Amino acid sequence: MLRSLLIRVFLPTFCLLMITVAKAQVADSTQPISVDPDLIALGNSKTPKEYIIAGIKITGSKYLDESLLISISGLTVGDKVMIPGGDNFSKAITKLWAQNLFSNVGIYFTKINGNDIYIEINVAERPRLANFYFKGATKSESDDLKTKTGLIKGRVITENMRQIAEENIKRYYADKGYQGVTVAINAVKDASSPNRESLNFVITKGTKVHINQINFYGNEQVSEAKLKKQLKDTKEMTRLTLFPPQDTSKFGVNKQITFKEYVDNWGFLSFTKTKEFIDPYFRFKLFSTSKFNEKKFATDKEKIIDYYNSLGYRDAVIVDDDKHYNKKNQMDIDIKVDEGNKYYFGNITWKGNTKYPDSVLSMLLAIKKGDVYNLDNLNKKLGKQVSMEGGGGIGDLYMDDGYLFFRVEPVETAVYNDTIDFEIRMTEGPQAMIKNVTIAGNDKTKEYVIRRELRTVPGDQFSRTALVRSVREIVNLGFFNQEKVTPVPVPNPDDGTVDINWTVEEKSSDQLELSAGWGGGIGLTGTVGVSFNNFSIKNIWSKTAWDPLPTGDGQKLSLRVQANGKAYQSYNLSFTEPWLGGKKRNSLTISLYRSAFKTGGYNYGTNKYAYSDTNSLKNFGVVIALGKQLKWPDDYFTLTYSLNYTRYNLTNYSLFTPQFRNGYSTNLSFKIALNRYSLNQPIYPSQGSNFLMSAQFTPPYSAFNSDYTDQKNFKLPEYMKYRLTSEWYIPIGKAMGADKSRQFVLKAAVKYGFMARYTSKLDFSPFERFQLGDAGLTNNFGLLGYDIVSQRGYPVYQNSDPRVNPDQQAASQFFVMFNKYTLELRYPFATNPSSTIYGEAFFEAANGWYDYRDYNPFRLRRDVGVGVRFFLPMFGLLGFDYGIGLDRIENGSLKNASRFTFMLGFEPE
């Protein structure tokens, strides 16, 4: 207002203002002030005249650069201005005012010399914020308010800043249940720093209000309990309900008893949030949790109406809500509703549809005459608001066929009695073709790595399903924040095309594994492992690409070294190219590994443990795998072929039998695996499935050699090995949280493993068997290709527990077959790029058998437990589980039936 007033009245009154700045000589108090007559003439003139700015002076500025202010004003020496009638000066004032640096801005004429005019820009600088304090708030509240008010020291104090801070303080306390909060703001000049002020926020919290009771009136068709359930943020106080036994004769009617008397006599407690109690004199208030918030209450009232509408009461309204207080200053809320009549769908007709006939659309709509009226359900099934998740509605049908410009509008055509007829008016529009596809946010990953995952290619027909699939493929790369992978379709109605603009946000995908220890007599033990999951091998010789490593081509390089002093060393190197050749999703993986296991003992002469190559088991292995994405049955399937070679060197080491202590054993096998992977996320999947079926077999040496015996089966093992794994992830209930990322997920899994042999004359191969129990961590038997399958709650060395397998008390712990069934209920606590944390409750049933003759699919070891998973980008997965082996419980004691398990870097089988 000050600025506009200055602009409106400045020119007519500038002569009076110039008195304060014109050069005048005052001889004494009675001598008149001398004023430049040209300035007076300019003020009285009504005829526009052109002047040239001959000089610009800044006054009032103490801390800002004068040349900068002149530049911001837009005025320069030499500019031509019209006085009166020009807008140069009003624009200059507007530009300076917009900086929010000044409390007042004025422009004055100080001198006129012919057509030259000299001007003065006078400003009054706003103070800056030195500090701010909250009086009337606790320390924890003050700490919260420091961030919630948005105040930053050193910034210019404006009225808008003060107003926003005041509103945020009131909102903060309103969320805590305080009513009538007032905030007074006092500005205090900072003595230590000129032009700075501190703000003191004096807070009067008012009364903290809790809701005692919520009562509904007028609800004849819908119960009060169901209506209260719709109030998500407006709840009654929680109370402790005491349930007495049938015989209460020892207490008189309405007799007041203490809590201790109750516990001493019955000792049974239960919580409830209802106001109905078995006996009124057993009512006992424990604590209050319900705080009243006016804005949240308004939102909850809308939810009540939405709920009524979903039940067919489209005319339902809240007539009145009355809030009053009891003697304890607790709020009672009375809500009066008018339900109106219940309506039903009548005849539904279609108009404007040419792509699909009425019968197909009616079948997809799945709303029949006589169904309860629900407009939200109708709009959802019509697909008026098409989302990335899809709803299986008619909109999805059209969008998947390229009809991006599809529009649908349900129109009520008749209302009679309790029935409503609808006409569905459709505008199909043209089928949109994808024109341009852009990608932004990939600061590290090469663009082609993302583009090859896209199903939205320029020239293709638009498809919502292809868009959703592209999101899943990009997320499963593991290089980007899954919450920030966002496609934005931009329709171009003029030419019937659509541009798709992708935005991603990089996250750390590399992982580091570190562990170290010191064992007496063994020495240093530990593991060092790194996985570079977005590696670039072609830039490995480029110095500029090492920042700190060459990255961006989507390849994976893993190195791992493990040592247990001189007793055990292991080295692993693996490289994966997911797009061999760059044109098709054909993967190549090459793995090399080498390990050495030595035996020894304590040398009393040297007082040290001694390990020698004269008693050792060494191995060297190579795995080469080729994977190919299939188009049939669908493109979620991948077929992988792998060639596995492992050579064992035994030196005075009994591997399976004392008769075979020295020499070489060569395990050569071929493996084929069929995998269908459709999980929506790799870290915390909430839907989809993972199916894997594999067959691994060696050459049938016994078919070519009639003298092939069990002894030779140690040197050239022959076997067939089959695995089947199937996992399903099913979302349970509704997604919760502001970003809808928190949802219960049920994981159901079955796993089978079987060994087979080419001839019954030989025993099963001692290689590639199954081990069951504990956390599934790799142990020494992993050298022999064993599949180590976890079962929480059971140690690995009690697989032949006679309480579970009474027929296998003398059997080997290395099984030739196993079955495992798992149910897990998961819930995420955090799903963000820096960490993913979720908890789980599990039930497992599993067992293994040494011989097919002992196989009994109903004889399973059962365990239950809980666990938590932490996924940290740098270290991968960390997991802790507490499992209870139900078949190990003796006399009701869990002492020997429960165990903690720990996992690092992977999810066990």
Side-chain angles (χ1 to χ4, degrees), residues 166-238:
E166 181 180 349
E167 291 176 353
N168 288 339
I169 291 172
K170 290 182 177 179
R171 184 180 301 111
Y172 173 77
Y173 282 104
D175 290 340
K176 286 180 168 292
Y178 290 95
Q179 302 296 308
V181 179
T182 61
V183 180
I185 305 176
N186 299 326
V188 180
K189 290 186 177 298
D190 187 30
S192 62
S193 179
N195 200 41
R196 288 180 178 264
E197 292 182 352
S198 295
L199 296 180
N200 293 326
F201 295 87
V202 182
I203 303 170
T204 303
K205 299 179 183 179
T207 305
K208 192 170 187 178
V209 178
H210 288 278
I211 302 172
N212 179 51
Q213 290 185 7
I214 301 175
N215 304 305
F216 282 89
Y217 300 93
N219 55 312
E220 299 178 356
Q221 303 300 324
V222 182
S223 69
E224 184 175 82
K226 290 182 179 180
L227 293 178
K228 286 182 179 180
K229 192 175 181 180
Q230 310 311 312
L231 302 173
K232 303 301 182 183
D233 296 304
T234 308
K235 300 291 186 181
E236 296 173 328
M237 289 191 303
T238 304

Side-chain angles (χ1 to χ4, degrees), residues 573-577 580 587-593 620-628 639-646 667-673 696:
L573 172 66
S574 175
F575 173 79
T576 298
E577 167 56 72
L580 185 62
S587 64
L588 169 66
T589 299
I590 300 176
S591 298
L592 304 174
Y593 54 91
F620 171 78
V622 180
V623 178
I624 301 175
L626 286 172
K628 179 181 180 181
L639 189 63
T640 303
Y641 309 91
S642 62
L643 182 65
N644 308 272
Y645 170 82
T646 305
N667 185 357
L668 178 65
S669 65
F670 179 77
K671 184 177 181 179
I672 182 170
Q696 181 179 356

Side-chain angles (χ1 to χ4, degrees), residues 856-872:
N856 184 344
F858 302 105
R859 181 176 292 162
L860 301 171
R861 307 185 310 174
R862 303 160 299 162
D863 63 277
V864 296
V866 294
V868 64
R869 300 288 184 272
F870 304 85
F871 185 88
L872 307 176

Side-chain angles (χ1 to χ4, degrees), residues 291-560:
K291 294 167 286 191
F292 179 76
N293 184 292
E294 188 68 50
K295 290 185 177 180
K296 293 180 178 180
F297 179 54
T299 302
D300 281 343
K301 287 192 293 184
E302 294 176 1
K303 292 177 181 177
I304 292 175
I305 299 303
D306 292 341
Y307 179 65
Y308 265 111
N309 291 341
S310 69
L311 299 177
Y313 297 94
R314 73 164 190 167
D315 299 330
V317 294
I318 293 179
V319 178
D320 187 28
D321 61 88
D322 178 51
K323 297 181 283 290
H324 50 276
Y325 297 87
N326 59 20
K327 295 180 180 180
K328 296 182 180 180
N329 202 33
Q330 297 165 349
M331 179 181 289
D332 290 334
I333 302 177
D334 297 333
I335 302 175
K336 184 178 181 181
V337 299
D338 182 358
E339 296 178 328
N341 296 324
K342 187 172 184 177
Y343 289 88
Y344 302 86
F345 283 109
N347 297 314
I348 298 178
T349 59
W350 302 87
K351 183 179 180 179
N353 52 305
T354 60
K355 176 69 176 179
Y356 300 102
D358 293 359
S359 58
V360 173
L361 298 179
S362 296
M363 180 182 65
L364 288 174
L365 186 64
I367 295 178
K368 304 183 295 297
K369 184 176 181 179
D371 287 353
V372 173
Y373 172 85
N374 186 333
L375 186 59
D376 286 342
N377 186 43
L378 176 63
N379 288 331
K380 181 179 179 181
K381 291 191 174 183
L382 288 175
K384 290 193 65 178
Q385 297 179 347
V386 180
S387 64
M388 288 295 295
E389 292 78 13
I394 293 173
D396 292 349
L397 177 68
Y398 274 90
M399 296 283 276
D400 283 342
D401 203 13
Y403 289 92
L404 179 63
F405 306 99
F406 162 82
R407 297 292 181 271
V408 60
E409 190 67 35
V411 178
E412 294 183 5
T413 56
V415 180
Y416 47 95
N417 298 326
D418 60 354
T419 303
I420 304 175
D421 291 344
F422 277 91
E423 181 179 76
I424 311 300
R425 299 175 183 176
M426 303 175 62
T427 303
E428 295 177 336
Q431 289 175 298
M433 306 299 290
I434 300 174
K435 187 177 182 180
N436 299 311
V437 177
T438 62
I439 301 172
N442 53 315
D443 303 325
K444 182 172 64 174
T445 305
K446 306 290 176 50
E447 185 168 304
Y448 80 90
V449 175
I450 303 174
R451 284 191 177 273
R452 67 192 185 189
E453 303 292 339
L454 297 180
R455 306 302 175 96
T456 55
V457 181
D460 285 358
Q461 185 175 283
F462 176 82
S463 169
R464 184 201 62 85
T465 298
L467 206 64
V468 175
R469 179 69 182 276
S470 298
V471 172
R472 190 191 75 88
E473 299 294 346
I474 294 175
V475 168
N476 281 328
L477 286 174
F479 308 152
F480 308 104
N481 177 6
Q482 62 191 27
E483 306 296 334
K484 300 295 183 179
V485 178
T486 308
V488 180
V490 182
N492 305 309
D494 295 337
D495 57 5
T497 62
V498 57
D499 296 336
I500 301 178
N501 301 326
W502 288 88
T503 57
V504 297
E505 181 182 281
E506 298 266 10
K507 71 173 185 178
S508 175
S509 58
D510 299 332
Q511 296 177 4
L512 174 67
E513 181 183 359
L514 291 173
S515 64
W518 181 267
I522 298 176
L524 180 66
T525 65
T527 300
V528 177
V530 289
S531 293
F532 306 109
N533 296 314
N534 194 3
F535 192 67
S536 175
I537 196 170
K538 73 177 182 180
N539 291 325
I540 197 170
W541 306 115
S542 174
K543 293 183 179 179
T544 58
W546 287 76
D547 185 26
L549 289 169
T551 60
D553 283 332
Q555 299 160 344
K556 182 176 181 179
L557 178 66
S558 299
L559 303 97
R560 191 171 188 268

Side-chain angles (χ1 to χ4, degrees), residues 557-763:
L557 178 66
S558 299
L559 303 97
R560 191 171 188 268
V561 178
Q562 184 178 6
N564 188 10
K566 296 181 179 180
Y568 174 73
Q569 297 92 36
S570 174
Y571 309 91
N572 295 269
L573 172 66
S574 175
F575 173 79
T576 298
E577 167 56 72
W579 285 70
L580 185 62
K583 295 183 178 180
K584 294 183 178 180
R585 197 190 296 265
N586 297 328
S587 64
L588 169 66
T589 299
I590 300 176
S591 298
L592 304 174
Y593 54 91
R594 180 178 180 83
S595 60
F597 182 75
K598 304 174 184 178
T599 61
Y602 189 77
N603 189 322
Y604 290 94
T606 61
N607 292 324
K608 294 182 179 179
Y609 281 88
Y611 298 92
S612 172
D613 287 338
T614 57
N615 302 87
S616 64
L617 167 64
K618 301 178 181 179
N619 75 336
F620 171 78
V622 180
V623 178
I624 301 175
L626 286 172
K628 179 181 180 181
Q629 185 181 34
L630 304 180
K631 298 296 183 181
W632 186 90
D634 59 41
D635 58 3
Y636 287 105
F637 279 91
T638 301
L639 189 63
T640 303
Y641 309 91
S642 62
L643 182 65
N644 308 272
Y645 170 82
T646 305
R647 184 174 178 84
Y648 300 91
N649 182 4
L650 284 74
T651 303
N652 196 28
Y653 186 94
S654 178
L655 185 58
F656 300 111
T657 174
Q659 286 73 35
F660 181 44
R661 301 182 60 87
N662 294 278
Y664 293 95
S665 177
T666 303
N667 185 357
L668 178 65
S669 65
F670 179 77
K671 184 177 181 179
I672 182 170
L674 180 66
N675 180 218
R676 187 183 189 277
Y677 183 91
S678 63
L679 303 184
N680 63 332
Q681 298 173 14
I683 300 175
Y684 183 77
S686 59
Q687 59 184 6
S689 62
N690 181 28
F691 173 83
L692 176 64
M693 181 171 60
S694 65
Q696 181 179 356
F697 48 89
T698 64
Y701 301 110
S702 60
F704 309 122
N705 187 349
S706 59
D707 296 332
Y708 193 84
T709 62
D710 283 330
Q711 185 70 19
K712 292 183 178 181
N713 199 9
F714 297 145
K715 296 184 177 182
L716 283 176
E718 68 168 26
Y719 56 84
M720 292 177 286
K721 181 178 181 179
Y722 303 96
R723 288 293 308 270
L724 176 65
T725 298
S726 189
E727 300 173 337
W728 300 271
Y729 294 84
I730 307 166
I732 304 296
K734 294 182 179 180
M736 296 172 281
D739 56 356
K740 302 298 183 184
S741 63
R742 298 187 178 183
Q743 185 174 25
F744 284 101
V745 175
L746 179 66
K747 174 189 175 182
V750 296
K751 297 181 180 182
Y752 302 102
F754 305 93
M755 293 288 295
R757 48 192 173 180
Y758 290 104
T759 174
S760 58
K761 297 179 181 179
L762 298 174
D763 197 359

